[in-house]
Every structure is written in structure tokens, then in C-alpha cells.
Amino acid sequence: MSVLVILMPFYGLSQNNLEIPQLSIQTQSYFHNPDTGTYLYRNAKVEWEGITVESTEINYHPEKHRLTAQGYVRVTEGSIVAVMDELEINVKDGNGIFRNAIIFDSSNKAYMTAEEVRRIGKNHFVAQTCTFTTCDPKSPAWQITGSEVNYYSQNFSSSQRTFLRIGNFPIFYFPYLAWPTVKRRQSGFLPPEYIIVRSSVRKWDLGYRIGIPYFWAIDPEQDLTLTYDWVERRGPGLRLDYQYALTRGMRGEIKYQEFFERDARDPENESGSLSAEEIDSSELNPKRFKFVFNHNQQIDGQSRLIASALVYSDSQFQKEYELIDNPDPNTAQKLTANINRQFSNGSISLSATQTREFSELALLNRNIDLTQVQHLPALSFQFRDTFWRSGRAALSPEISGSVVRYYRVQGYNGEGAAATPRLNLNFPVFNHFDGSIKIGKQFSRYKVRDPNVPGSEDEYGFEILDSEIEFNTVFSRIFKNETGTFTRFKHLVTPRIQYNYIEDVPQQSDSGVPFGGGVSARRLATLRLENILLAKRRYFERSVKLTSLALDRMRRDQMDPALFRKLELIQDQEFASMQLFVRQLENLFGTELSARQRESILAYAEKGVVPLQNKQVRGQIREGKSSSVASLNFIQHYDNLKKNPYFQPIGPAVKGNETEPGQPLLPLRTILKVTPGTDFSISIFNRYHHQKSRVVEYSADMSVGVSKHNKASVHFRNNEEAYQTPFGKDVAAANTFSFSNNFATSDELAFGVAGTVNLDADSYTFRRRLTSSVFSLEYKPDCWNIRLALTENVDKTTTSSGREKEYIDRTLYAYINLGGVDIPEQILPDLE
């Protein structure tokens, strides 16, 4: 089959002074009719001014500048691709008619189908009896149908007498709609939010919830999003989200949402520690709202002002409407303001904080924890510099501290100041060991008073010396591997000896009240032996060749002809790796080759195979970066304060209860982690108690990624009894097994399951072993998304008789989103 390439030189000026474009025509054959002056092209492609028309049959009338096509017709213009049965277009002004057309806009990934579409300008189409969707137009999950649609690519579009349909069901009707068809910031409706929350506990059972957000781009410096909510078992709601950036270096937001609940709440189940009789009937319809304010402003090159506010109407708002299972903190009010100034070696801040939290999770009990400390205000500072440096040795002094006025509704209030100067010295020891010494002393002085007790003024203050000494070194050895997955291994052994000291001083007020002191004494020696195995992975790369067949394909796809003259210089040359091939392209073209052209060339290049065994393999081996494949750490603490079984601190109680007094050697901690690849890891932890001659706590974790679509993990933990570490960390007793698995059967469908099993469930009180579980399903085709999640949690409540009772909170969540669609903005057309 031969192809004719014809250039129609019809340049000149028409009667209305419009320049007639030149046409480029490629055709298998053509016929000229001298009687009508028309040309008939078969299996042809016609191009002019960025427009391409392809069809099995194209008719062109040069004098009338009219081009018609029938059969299979395809029109391409920029990001627009249209397929139709019939086409009629004027090549001079670009106006035309598409019949039985499907138009695809790749910039918005949107389809428009219509019986008739008129092109009335560049990227402007008017469609009659039209549908608009981002789904497959043959079976769309959603679509907008209108009697007439004005579609502007990279602008705004509109339609008249329009329905939004989900499947075949009409959901919304709008007399007139307008929506943005650009990715840049524009006013318009955002994708609707739809969620179903069904719970076995009545007070958490919301039913379905739908939100329709509208985005208003007020100007380039500010915008507002208004969302109308409807909650099936609650009633309507309204959300406002205002964002601003009025000047350079300033940004902020104001958010408010309120739900107007129609039904009274149940005092028997929602009064918490209060009895139902204490709740007045006027309180059974509480106001439900949330307020957020955040402001961040640069004052100058070194200073910044930050202010924020967060207010919740009640203790259940987070759990009900934000789906936070255990709100922590359960905030009632949080107000903060901060002015910070940065220096080259430190910073200083002036701040004020007022925080209030609800006493319990109970909607009808609004009691606040009145003992929380508020800072009104607080001045804090920190500075650090390197005073002296010589080789690996350095001396760095630093100081940090604060001046605070603190306040509580109930309890002691007062003012105080604290400062902690510190010296940090790092130095080598015999050129093989590294040593460090950190010495600091905390100075503090506070005045306190109880506002409810006249004459209760008191003072307290203390000076506490603390220090930390460490010596460490590193032994290493490298192992080479000629075959296998890894090229080299490196074993690092790092022994560390540490000593942590905190002075034991009295921390009480002048009148003898133990108020304000919370720094516990410490004499803790620690031996750490750290083992790390590093490895470099061996990568085999396929060779790359630009064959004559690849160049022919590039020519057929009409790549830039100027490229071929230089590419022919490396035709059929084989490069051992992709990196070498890219380097050769850079040598050939320099900066003339764009990133897009380079990617196109790489796509056409043919990849070879890796030979099993020969010298060429060595040239195709690339060594990866070093990564940790295994680590084994031993940690042994020795608490010197426990040597004397009769030791009593003069300050706060010593932290840590892993052993009895008189037994200073604490259990040995062993941590093993193996990660041979990015998709598999094992972690094992245990505490061996030498006094009991057995392991008293152990845990194991394993995670597996069979592929990027299938990942699983399990976790097992057993601890006989609760304990506290020397650093004050509390560890609860447990005997649990946890699991999780996420499996994607395809790009559209994925499953997930997770849970925790209590292996020591009390058969007399709590019989439930599966304390929590989650099952999820996600389905996301191209144009929409649905996610289901079924959760179960075991919780406890106290009955009116004071007995604890176990109950199961079983909740179903369903999230539905029309992906990629902007629900149109309902506005009135210009009636003038």
C-alpha cells in the first residue's frame, strides 16, 4: 500500500481578510471531480493549524473551504480527541459539526457524548442532548446529562436543564450548571462526600452522611469552602472553611462546623458519671459545633507570629463526627499564641497557652478537668555554640530555660523561672575510642498560692546537677562475595559504655510541701553491644540497543526527523546498561535533547537479555547502595541506687521497678532485626531476668510483602507483669497476638483484615478474645471509589450498680467518592 503526501498551497486572503491555511494531506488514493471542484481522499489524514482529521473517506471543496468526512472519523486538537460518524468543518474559520460523537479531553480525563456537537472556536464546543462523565462512556457509573452543554477545554463549561445521574438514577436536577474544566484554582462544586456509619451502639449510629462542598475562589489571596451536610440519624449540618494569604509570609484559616440535631439524646446512656436524674430536659438537645483558627505570619526575616484556637462543644464530637475512636486529648478548648525570634545560635519565644479538656467521654456531662496548668504567659529561650574545636574534639556550651506564669482553676497558681546551663565535650581516647561528657545544672525558683485559700503563699526551688558520660568505639570487617544477591557485607560492632547521673536533692516548698518536684534521682550504668550487618546488593542490568526496526517505528510515529541523523550513528550498537546508553545520548545531543524526547527514545530502545555466565556479565553488574540487612543489640542496665536495699531518696521516688531493692542488675534486653529485602523483615525482643533464670517478656514481629499488592504482618507479645523502666516508661502486662493483611486482587479491588487477640481473656468476666478487628474492602475503578470497613472493639462500661460490664462496639463505615468529577456550580445564566 502506498501513501501520497499532498500539500495544498491555498494561501491568500479571503474576502473578509482571513488567511486561508495550508493543508497537509496523507492519503492512500484520491479522486478529483472537475465538475464540482471537490477532492475525494480515501484512508486519509488531513492536518492544518493543530487540527488533525482522519477518516476512511474525506471530501474537500477548496473554493468553499469545506471539509466533510464519513464512516470512521477521528479529530485531534491538542488534548481533545473526538470520534464520530460524520464531520463537516470549515478549514478557514474552524467552525464545524460533529454528529454521533464521543469527545475525550485528556487534560481532564473526561468524556462527552452527543448526537450533535458544534465546534465554534478553538477548544470551544456546544453539544446537543449531551452526557458528560469521567467514566467509560459506554457504561458510566455517573454522568451529567444536559439538553445543551457548552464545553470549554481549559476554561469553564456549562449546561442547561441538567441531571446528575448515579448509574441510571437521577440524583440532582439543576436548571443551569457551570463547572471548571481546568486543574488550576477555580470556583465550583467539589466532589460530594458520602459515608455510612452504622454501629451496634445506638449513640454512635449515624446512618448515612452526605456532604456537598462548594469552593469559592474569592481572589488569589483567599477562598471559602461551604459544605452542606445531611446525617441520616442526626439531621442537617453546615461547614465553613475560609483560607487566606493576604500578604507575603502570612497564611491562615478559619473553620466552623455545626450540626443541628433534631432528636433528644438519651440521658441513661450519655450522662457518664452523672445520674440521669441530674440532667435537665432542656439539656437533651445540646449544641454541637467545632471552631478552628490558625494564623501564621512572618514579622521579619527572623521573627514569626503563630496563633491558634480550637473549641469543641462537647466530649463526643470527635468520636461521632470525626470518627476518632479514642480522642486524646479530649479537647474542650485550646488557645495558643506564640512570638518566636530565631538567631544564628538559638531562639527565644513568648507564648501563652490555655487548654481545657473534658473530664470524660459523655455528651451530657460537660464537666472540665479544672486542674490543668495554663501558661499565661511563658518566655522560653535556648542558645548553643561551639566554644572550641580541634580535630575530633569539641567543647559546646548551651543554655535553655523559661520564665512562666501558670494558672489553674483548681490548685496552686504562681510564677517561676528555670534555667539549665550545660557543657558538652566530645573527645577522642587513644585514637580508637570516642568519648563524650555532658554536664548540666538546673536552677529553678517558683512562687505558688492557692486562690481559694487566703494566706497560702509558698515558695520552692531547687538546683539539680545531671551528667552523662559515654565511651564507644567501632570494629568493622568487610566480606566480599563473588556470586549471589549481595556483592559485599560489612559487619560493624559498636560497644558503648554509658553512665547517667541525676542528683538526689529535696524538691519541696519552703513550708515542707512536696510540691513541684518531679525529677527523680538516677545512677544508671549501661552497657550496649550493637551489631549491624550492612550489605550492597548486586543488580544485573539488561543491555540496550537502538535497532533499525526501532528507528523505523519512530519514523512511523512521526518523531522529530532531526533526531534520526544523530541516532543513526549509534544504530545497532549494544550498550551494557541503560546508564551507558543515556550517557551516549548526552554526548550526541548535549543540551539539545529535552527530557520528553529522551524518554521517548528510551521507550523505543530494545532491551537485551543477561547471559548466564561470561565476561560480558561483569560489565552489566551494578552495585547498589549500602543498606542494613540485620542488627543484633544487647542492652544491660545496672542501677546503682538499688545496691542499698534501704536507700530512701530525699527527693521524688526513684523510677523503675524491674527488680527488687538490693538487686541492681536489671534484666538483659536483646533486640534482633533482620531485613534481607525491602519486602520482608523479622524483629524479636526479649528481657531475660537473671534472678528468675528465664525470659520474662518477649515479642516477635514479622512483615511480608509478597508483592506491592499483597502485604501481611503478625505481632506476638507476652509480658508476665507490668513494670516501669529506669527512665519512667510504664509497660503494661499483656499476652496478645495481632495480625494484618492487605491484598489487592487488581488495580480496582483490594481487601484488608486486621485484628488483636487477647490470649489471656478472663473466662469469668470478659469472654471476648478478639478485642479489636477491622475488615476493609476497597473498589476503585477509573471514575469512582467505594471503601467499606467493618470494625469491632471490646469496651467496658459501669452499670448503675457499679459493676463493670463488657460490650462490643461494632461499626460499619462506607465511604463513596465520585473520583475525578467536580459537581457543578448552580448559578443563573446571563439573561440579558
Side-chain angles (χ1 to χ4, degrees), residues 522-729:
R522 187 179 297 155
R523 310 281 194 278
L524 188 67
T526 304
L527 172 63
R528 296 176 181 265
L529 185 62
E530 302 171 358
N531 293 268
I532 300 178
L533 182 63
L534 303 174
K536 291 193 173 184
R537 187 176 291 272
R538 177 183 283 110
Y539 293 95
F540 293 94
E541 293 196 341
R542 299 168 64 184
S543 61
V544 180
K545 182 189 296 186
L546 196 62
T547 64
S548 58
L549 182 61
L551 289 175
D552 290 341
R553 288 199 300 265
M554 294 168 66
R555 289 189 183 96
R556 286 200 302 269
D557 291 342
Q558 298 183 349
M559 289 191 65
D560 188 356
L563 297 175
F564 296 114
R565 290 191 297 272
K566 291 185 178 181
L567 291 177
E568 287 172 351
L569 298 176
I570 59 172
Q571 179 179 326
D572 293 327
Q573 291 184 26
E574 189 165 3
F575 298 88
S577 66
M578 183 66 73
Q579 286 80 1
L580 294 176
F581 181 67
V582 172
R583 194 177 304 164
Q584 184 62 47
L585 292 178
E586 293 173 350
N587 293 335
L588 285 175
F589 295 96
T591 59
E592 298 176 5
L593 192 68
S594 67
R596 184 175 181 179
Q597 290 174 324
R598 184 183 65 183
E599 294 301 322
S600 298
I601 295 172
L602 296 179
Y604 285 98
E606 296 183 4
K607 282 75 173 176
V609 297
V610 177
L612 295 178
Q613 287 293 335
N614 60 30
K615 294 181 180 180
Q616 185 182 355
V617 175
R618 297 190 182 96
Q620 295 176 233
I621 292 177
R622 177 171 61 89
E623 191 176 59
K625 295 182 178 180
S626 177
S627 60
S628 174
V629 296
S631 64
L632 177 62
N633 299 330
F634 301 95
I635 304 171
Q636 180 67 71
H637 294 302
Y638 186 90
D639 195 338
N640 289 273
L641 291 179
K642 287 188 175 294
K643 287 193 298 184
N644 180 6
Y646 305 105
F647 171 76
Q648 294 293 329
I650 59 178
V654 176
K655 295 179 180 179
N657 59 0
E658 293 185 75
T659 63
E660 299 295 329
Q663 305 293 335
L665 191 65
L666 275 58
L668 172 67
R669 299 169 182 265
T670 304
I671 305 173
L672 170 65
K673 186 173 183 180
V674 180
T675 312
T678 56
D679 298 325
F680 181 75
S681 68
I682 297 176
S683 179
I684 299 174
F685 167 81
N686 71 58
R687 286 192 314 131
Y688 176 78
H689 206 305
H690 63 285
Q691 296 170 7
K692 300 181 180 180
S693 300
R694 58 188 174 86
V695 174
V696 293
E697 178 187 6
Y698 56 93
S699 65
D701 293 88
M702 182 176 70
S703 62
V704 180
V706 178
S707 68
K708 65 178 181 179
H709 303 294
N710 190 356
K711 298 180 180 180
S713 66
V714 293
H715 172 73
F716 174 76
R717 178 169 177 259
N718 183 279
N719 180 32
E720 295 181 359
E721 56 185 20
Y723 65 92
Q724 186 184 71
T725 70
F727 300 95
K729 179 182 178 181

Side-chain angles (χ1 to χ4, degrees), residues 365-515:
N365 183 359
R366 295 177 49 84
N367 291 339
I368 303 294
D369 180 3
L370 303 179
T371 63
Q372 282 188 295
V373 176
Q374 321 294 331
H375 291 168
L376 302 169
L379 178 70
S380 59
F381 58 90
Q382 61 90 18
F383 294 93
R384 179 171 180 169
D385 199 2
T386 301
F387 181 74
W388 168 79
R389 181 184 297 275
S390 177
R392 289 159 52 195
L395 178 64
S396 303
E398 66 176 79
I399 185 171
S400 61
S402 61
V403 179
V404 179
R405 179 188 181 275
Y406 61 93
Y407 170 81
R408 290 187 292 190
V409 177
Q410 290 181 358
Y412 281 86
N413 304 328
E415 304 84 30
T420 305
R422 190 177 299 278
L423 282 176
N424 303 307
L425 176 62
N426 297 296
F427 55 92
V429 182
F430 307 123
N431 293 324
H432 295 290
F433 290 83
D434 288 325
S436 66
I437 300 176
K438 301 177 182 179
I439 301 177
K441 192 162 189 177
Q442 177 181 336
F443 299 89
S444 61
R445 193 66 186 174
Y446 291 87
K447 291 184 177 181
V448 297
R449 67 191 68 84
D450 188 340
N452 300 317
V453 181
S456 61
E457 289 78 7
D458 203 350
E459 292 188 17
Y460 71 92
F462 38 83
E463 300 176 6
I464 303 175
L465 177 68
D466 67 85
S467 63
E468 184 177 318
I469 303 174
E470 178 179 328
F471 295 96
N472 66 74
T473 189
V474 179
F475 302 98
S476 65
R477 186 174 180 181
I478 297 177
F479 305 90
K480 292 184 178 181
N481 191 21
E482 297 297 333
T483 60
T485 305
F486 300 100
T487 59
R488 285 185 289 173
F489 293 95
K490 186 175 183 179
H491 182 205
L492 300 178
V493 181
T494 306
R496 299 180 187 272
I497 300 176
Q498 299 171 318
Y499 183 75
N500 189 259
Y501 171 87
I502 297 179
E503 186 180 7
D504 183 23
V505 298
Q507 299 174 39
Q508 57 187 17
S509 67
D510 294 349
S511 62
V513 178
F515 180 80

Side-chain angles (χ1 to χ4, degrees), residues 97 154 206 258 361 462 474 496 517 605 608 611 675 747 770 832:
I97 299 176
Q154 297 300 309
L206 300 183
E258 183 173 349
L361 188 66
F462 38 83
V474 179
R496 299 180 187 272
T675 312
D747 292 338
L770 187 62
E832 295 182 2

Side-chain angles (χ1 to χ4, degrees), residues 177-190:
L177 297 175
W179 69 93
T181 54
V182 291
K183 295 182 179 179
R184 63 179 182 268
R185 190 169 168 268
Q186 297 281 4
S187 298
F189 278 85
L190 301 177

